[in-house]
Amino acid sequence: PDCSVSTEAMASVAFNMSARAAVGGTQLKLSAQRKRVARAPLRVDALAAQVSKVSFDGASAGTATLDVKVAKPDVAKGLVHKYVVMVRQNARRGTASTLTKSEVRGGGRKPFKQKGTGNARAGSSRTPLKPGGGVVFGPKPKDWSIKMNKKERRLAMATAIQSAAAASSMIVVDSLAGAAPKTKAMATALKSWGVAEGEKAYIITKDAPEGVTLSTRNMARVVQTDIKHLNVYDVLNADKVVVEESALQYINDFYGESGAAWA
């Protein structure tokens, strides 16, 4: 599935492509003199969404409320995209390395005389034109990491979580404390919560027992994480976001209108 935030996924937070000026600032040329325009502050809204709530065995338990502060529609898409790019780019190890003509072992002797052989003239057997030779403009170890302001990152994360709730892709489970350390049992539980077979699920827990980690680590399309280690790419990439009720309360407290995220 598309990892970007779709229009349907943001029924309450509509995105458009006008975020560049608001997030990154612009420069205008006036009377042949360049003057820097002050960076526009990020505008935020507090939006509440009702999310379906189920018990561990899949029985309906009413609804829960997700109440977080999110970016304005005109900057939301660009902000979330900027954060996803940062997360994905910072995950690159940057260790790819190739040898140039001067670094490949051998090739110090002229392979054959300049004239009289009928061959094209050559000064080294390690030329990039031959097998075993050096690589032209190949990769070298590089630091790919980029930075983003902390409050921008938090606002982007809250917006991505809100988009999952707005698209009815979020499910709240009252507790995962009774989860047995069995992959089959977790697969059955996911199905009872509304995660169809083949769908990608992102399970967000808070201080979950070891059984939850053990039961999900061997499931190819399931990612489980603690609330303090959220990944915006996993939130957007999942077909269903399963949130433990205690984790939802933490999200509301941290990303809410007066949460610690904005202190």
Side-chain angles (χ1 to χ4, degrees), residues 30-48:
L30 302 175
S31 304
Q33 180 181 5
R34 302 187 68 182
K35 296 183 179 180
R36 188 170 182 83
V37 177
R39 179 172 300 195
L42 290 175
R43 298 180 297 165
V44 294
D45 277 342
L47 295 176

Side-chain angles (χ1 to χ4, degrees), residues 25-185:
T26 59
Q27 287 187 339
L28 300 179
K29 190 172 184 180
L30 302 175
S31 304
Q33 180 181 5
R34 302 187 68 182
K35 296 183 179 180
R36 188 170 182 83
V37 177
R39 179 172 300 195
L42 290 175
R43 298 180 297 165
V44 294
D45 277 342
L47 295 176
Q50 297 299 314
V51 185
S52 299
K53 179 181 173 182
V54 297
S55 62
F56 185 80
D57 58 6
S60 177
T63 60
T65 302
L66 175 67
D67 191 4
V68 296
K69 184 182 288 189
V70 299
K72 286 280 189 179
D74 57 342
V75 300
K77 184 174 183 178
L79 184 66
V80 174
H81 176 264
K82 181 180 178 181
Y83 189 28
V84 172
V85 170
M86 190 209 76
V87 169
R88 299 294 287 173
Q89 188 161 323
N90 288 357
R92 297 186 66 169
R93 298 179 63 185
T95 55
S97 182
T98 55
L99 300 180
T100 65
K101 174 183 175 181
S102 64
E103 294 170 333
V104 176
R105 186 174 185 272
R109 179 176 63 86
K110 188 175 177 67
F112 45 81
K113 64 181 182 177
Q114 182 80 348
K115 295 178 178 293
T117 65
N119 294 313
R121 55 194 176 186
S124 172
S125 60
R126 295 297 180 259
T127 170
L129 303 177
K130 294 185 177 181
V135 178
V136 181
F137 304 128
K140 286 292 184 182
K142 176 180 178 180
D143 180 11
W144 288 94
S145 62
I146 55 178
K147 295 182 180 181
M148 185 175 176
N149 292 339
K150 180 167 64 175
K151 288 187 179 180
E152 282 185 318
R153 297 196 307 266
R154 290 176 174 178
L155 187 61
M157 177 61 75
T159 304
I161 294 173
Q162 174 71 24
S163 74
S168 301
S169 298
M170 182 176 288
I171 304 166
V172 177
V173 181
D174 55 6
S175 177
L176 297 179
K182 297 288 185 181
T183 302
K184 185 175 181 180

Side-chain angles (χ1 to χ4, degrees), residues 199-213:
E199 284 189 321
K200 288 180 282 189
Y202 189 45
I203 303 177
I204 303 174
T205 59
K206 184 176 186 297
D207 302 326
E210 187 180 11
V212 177
T213 303

